[in-house]
Amino acid sequence: MLVSAKEMLEKAKAGHYAVGQFNINNLEWTKAVLQTAQENNSPVILGVSEGAGKYMAGYKTIVGMVNGMLEEMGITVPVALHLDHGSYDHCYKCIEAGFSSVMFDGSHYPIEENLAKTKELVAVCEAKGLSLEAEVGSIGGEEDGVVGMGECADPNECKAIADLGVTMLAAGIGNIHGKYPANWAGLSFETLDAIQQLTGDMPLVLHGGTGIPTEMIQKAISLGVAKINVNTECQLTFAEATRKYIEAGKDLEGKGFDPRKLLAPGVDAIKATVKEKMEIFGSINKA
Ligand code: 13P
C-alpha cells in the first residue's frame, strides 16, 4: 500500500539521513526502483513529473501500475507516489487519482499567491492523509521545458511557507536540475543553514540530485535535508547502457531484439545508480 512521505521523512530528518526520490518514466523504471528499494530495505519515493504523467498515459494509469507492483512484487518497504513540481491543477488531479503525496511548486508566483495556494492544499492533503511538498525560490536548470536560474530562497519566506503546515520544503540553494555546468558555484550552505534555523524539524528537500558531489550531499543532510531528488542520472545511465547494447549489435542477433532483452542492461544500470544513491543518502536498512 502506498504511504504518505511524512513518517519516512520525519524519521530521516531525526536520523540524519535522506530518502531518495527517483523519478519514473515507464514500467521498467518503476520496477527497477521498487526492486532496489526492497532489496536494500530502504524507504523510497517515486517521483512523477507532469510530462512523465502524460507520457505514461495519465495519473490513474500510474497509480494502477504502482499499486499492482506493490502487491505482485511483494514490496513491504514504505513507498510514496509523489507528483514532482506540480501545478495547482495537477495537484488536484493526482490527489483524485490516488497519489499518496504531491508537490505544489508555487515558486514562480508572488510569495502571497504561493502562500495562499499552498495553504489551501495543506488543508486538502491533511484531510486525506497525504504529504505535501512546497517550494520557495526557483531551482535552476530545465525541467519539462521550464527553465530557472537557480536562485537562493529567502529564509523568511521559507519560514512563512513552513508555518502553513506543509510536510516538506524544497528551497533553492543554488541547486540545478540536470548536469551541473563546469562553473557551478556549488550549494549555498549558508542559505540552507539559515532556512533550517527558521524551519526547525521540517524535512528539507534537495532537488537536482544528479551530479552533486558526495561531500556536499552529506553536508546538506547534516543541515536538515531529508529528501533528495534524482532524475537525470538514471536517464543518463539508462541511455548509456542501452546505447552500448545496441552498438554491440545484440539487438540484431538471435532474440536480442526482444524488448525485454533490449531494455535489460538499462534496467540493471538504473538499479545500480539507485543503490549507489541510497548508500550515499544513508537510507539502506532504514525501512
Ligand atoms: P536531477 O534531474 O538533476 O537529478 O533533478 C531531479 C529533480 O530535482 C526532480 O525534481
Side-chain angles (χ1 to χ4, degrees), residues 149-167:
M149 295 309 288
E151 64 192 50
C152 281
D154 174 342
N156 290 312
E157 290 185 0
C158 291
K159 177 173 167 42
I161 293 271
D163 285 349
L164 297 176
V166 298
T167 318

Side-chain angles (χ1 to χ4, degrees), residues 201-222:
D201 291 338
M202 159 95 29
L204 300 174
V205 183
L206 183 63
H207 282 245
T210 295
I212 300 180
T214 302
E215 318 80 68
M216 283 196 201
I217 297 271
Q218 282 161 350
K219 181 142 193 209
I221 292 173
S222 77

Side-chain angles (χ1 to χ4, degrees), residues 73-86:
M73 291 167 62
I75 304 292
T76 53
V77 295
V79 178
L81 180 60
H82 180 72
L83 172 65
D84 189 28
H85 290 285

Side-chain angles (χ1 to χ4, degrees), residues 17-35:
Y17 61 94
V19 177
Q21 172 189 307
F22 299 96
N23 283 38
I24 56 171
N25 289 284
N26 57 24
L27 179 144
E28 285 77 11
W29 225 276
T30 313
K31 190 172 148 192
V33 175
L34 289 177
Q35 266 173 351

